[in-house]
Amino acid sequence: MKKKIGLYAVFLVALCFVMLYRLDAYIMKPGSAYDVSKFVTVANNHADEAGSMSLMTVAMQQATPFSYLWAKTQKYEKIMDIKQVRNPLEDDEEYNVRQLKLMSDSQFNAKYVAFQRAGLEAKIHFNGVFVLNVLDGGASDGFLKAGDEITKVDGIEITNQQMLVELLSKKQLGDQVTIQFLRDKKEQQETIALKEIPQAEEKRAGLGITYAESKSIETNPSVTMKTEDIGGPSAGLMFTLEILNQLLDEDLTKGYAVAGTGEMLIDGSVGRIGGIDYKIIAADRDGMEIFFAPDDEISPEMKAKYPELESNYATAVKTAKEIGTKMKIVPVKTVDDAIAYLKQLAPK
């Protein structure tokens, strides 16, 4: 009896290991289509949409021994080394913060571009310097953390990202600087002794952080966006089109189920994203009729380095043929390409 109990215990431990132990790898697979109007609301909007605008997601999960082996048997599940997903300098928390920052920047650009195309003004505010990650062993290790927004250095208000660089460039190793920052919307202050920046090509004193600008945008009418559970920049194009659709009197959807993907850049161009093949599969499965795909250009240098690399649009078309979808794949280099395509559509 004891032997049976022992074997049963070993079996349970082995099962738990196979099902729950997290490997240094991720599994990417098709996600879902999400109606953007559920996330975006323009005050006093003209949201009489006969159709829908949907953003696309991929499902990404850290692999276990079981899911790793299962993914190897599936055509549309991709195993990715942790270094392909996460910056080698960041931990899990910093990766999540970076993804949310990319989403925040995506929303900013979507609002800016949509209001521009609608002929409406928007005010831009600089909030500070956003900390993306803190380098191990650097000056800020133990003082700052990812998600902090630096607003002042030695009492001087930071009004652009370059100011931080210029203020620190005058300092020497060991100099102390007083950093004022926001953490969880609360003002805090730390005095930090500058150290040599870890892993930097040239030896110089610094805070030992990577960072980006933090900006916000004020619009009239106001735009509310609720995307707490979505990270990354790839919803930018569809955010822009949804905001514009709610601003305009006309219905851009014309009664169609419209989906797409692509980073929205501040000049209105649509940037390349990852996992477009999985997004095509998910869009087809969820009944989408039109799919906007970034028509990015692969430079000769990139082609020489990565011979298999192709544009998002080329991958989208190839995947659409493989799965036999009737969904229309539309190439877009800019948001204006997407708008022009929708405007020429006959109402459904």
Side-chain angles (χ1 to χ4, degrees):
M1 184 68 178
K2 285 183 180 179
K3 187 176 180 182
K4 281 186 179 179
I5 292 172
L7 287 171
Y8 184 63
V10 169
F11 173 76
L12 281 179
V13 169
L15 184 64
C16 287
F17 173 81
V18 168
M19 299 299 292
L20 301 176
Y21 182 76
R22 299 203 305 173
L23 304 173
D24 280 345
Y26 281 83
I27 309 293
M28 181 193 284
K29 54 188 175 182
S32 300
Y34 292 93
D35 187 336
V36 189
S37 67
K38 301 291 191 290
F39 302 98
V40 176
T41 306
V42 176
N44 307 315
N45 65 63
H46 304 280
D48 239 358
E49 297 180 356
S52 62
M53 299 277 192
S54 293
L55 63 84
M56 301 306 308
T57 64
V58 293
M60 187 81 84
Q61 64 185 87
Q62 196 160 359
T64 64
F66 175 79
S67 64
Y68 185 95
L69 292 171
W70 176 257
K72 280 187 169 292
T73 69
Q74 303 301 302
K75 184 175 182 180
Y76 293 115
E77 290 193 20
K78 183 179 181 181
I79 298 168
M80 303 178 73
D81 186 89
I82 200 163
K83 292 175 184 175
Q84 293 176 274
V85 177
R86 223 172 62 192
N87 185 314
L89 297 176
E90 64 190 5
D91 58 25
D92 279 340
E93 182 184 356
E94 290 170 334
Y95 169 75
N96 290 331
V97 166
R98 178 165 62 86
Q99 291 302 305
L100 292 174
K101 173 65 170 133
L102 288 169
M103 169 55 76
S104 172
D105 289 348
S106 174
Q107 293 176 12
F108 175 93
N109 290 350
K111 291 178 189 177
Y112 179 82
V113 172
F115 272 72
Q116 242 194 1
R117 297 308 188 270
L120 298 170
E121 289 186 8
K123 278 187 188 174
I124 295 173
H125 302 284
F126 181 84
N127 299 330
V129 170
F130 186 93
V131 178
L132 290 171
N133 77 304
V134 178
L135 304 179
D136 290 340
S140 299
D141 195 1
F143 297 101
L144 299 177
K145 69 176 189 177
D148 290 345
E149 281 186 351
I150 298 172
T151 55
K152 292 181 181 178
V153 173
D154 291 335
I156 301 170
E157 187 176 352
I158 304 295
T159 57
N160 59 65
Q161 186 172 288
Q162 188 58 28
M163 267 191 75
L164 179 65
V165 177
E166 290 170 357
L167 287 169
L168 293 178
S169 67
K170 300 169 186 174
K171 306 287 185 181
Q172 305 295 320
L173 286 172
D175 284 354
Q176 292 195 328
V177 293
T178 302
I179 303 294
Q180 283 176 256
F181 57 95
L182 291 173
R183 178 179 292 170
D184 300 326
K185 298 182 180 179
K186 293 179 183 176
E187 284 196 7
Q188 297 195 36
Q189 180 174 300
E190 293 283 0
T191 299
I192 299 172
L194 298 183
K195 294 182 181 179
E196 192 175 296
I197 299 173
Q199 301 180 37
E201 290 183 6
E202 57 176 297
K203 292 184 179 180
R204 56 190 173 88
L207 288 171
I209 59 173
T210 63
Y211 52 86
E213 281 190 344
S214 174
K215 295 182 291 187
S216 57
I217 187 166
E218 185 183 339
T219 62
N220 185 18
S222 63
V223 180
T224 305
M225 303 182 81
K226 296 180 180 177
T227 57
E228 291 85 358
D229 299 327
I230 304 173
S234 65
L237 171 63
M238 298 313 294
F239 281 150
T240 308
L241 292 175
E242 178 61 34
I243 293 169
L244 193 57
N245 204 33
Q246 293 189 32
L247 286 172
L248 300 176
D249 288 330
E250 63 180 305
D251 176 14
L252 291 176
T253 70
K254 305 284 184 68
Y256 294 89
V258 181
T261 190
E263 183 177 3
M264 185 82 274
L265 303 179
I266 199 72
D267 64 355
S269 57
V270 179
R272 178 185 178 84
I273 54 86
I276 194 165
D277 41 356
Y278 301 110
K279 292 181 179 182
I280 290 290
I281 294 163
D284 175 63
R285 184 192 61 204
D286 289 352
M288 299 296 107
E289 297 169 285
I290 296 166
F291 191 103
F292 292 124
D295 189 16
D296 55 306
E297 294 181 9
I298 309 298
S299 68
E301 293 78 19
M302 287 295 287
K303 196 68 177 172
K305 192 173 181 181
Y306 305 103
E308 302 300 314
L309 193 64
E310 59 187 8
S311 73
N312 275 173
Y313 174 62
T315 301
V317 169
K318 188 164 69 178
T319 306
K321 285 180 181 175
E322 281 180 7
I323 64 174
T325 181
K326 293 178 181 177
M327 184 170 59
K328 174 72 174 173
I329 312 298
V330 181
V332 290
K333 289 187 182 297
T334 69
V335 68
D336 302 302
D337 293 339
I339 295 166
Y341 180 84
L342 292 171
K343 281 180 177 283
Q344 60 81 42
L345 274 179
K348 192 174 177 184

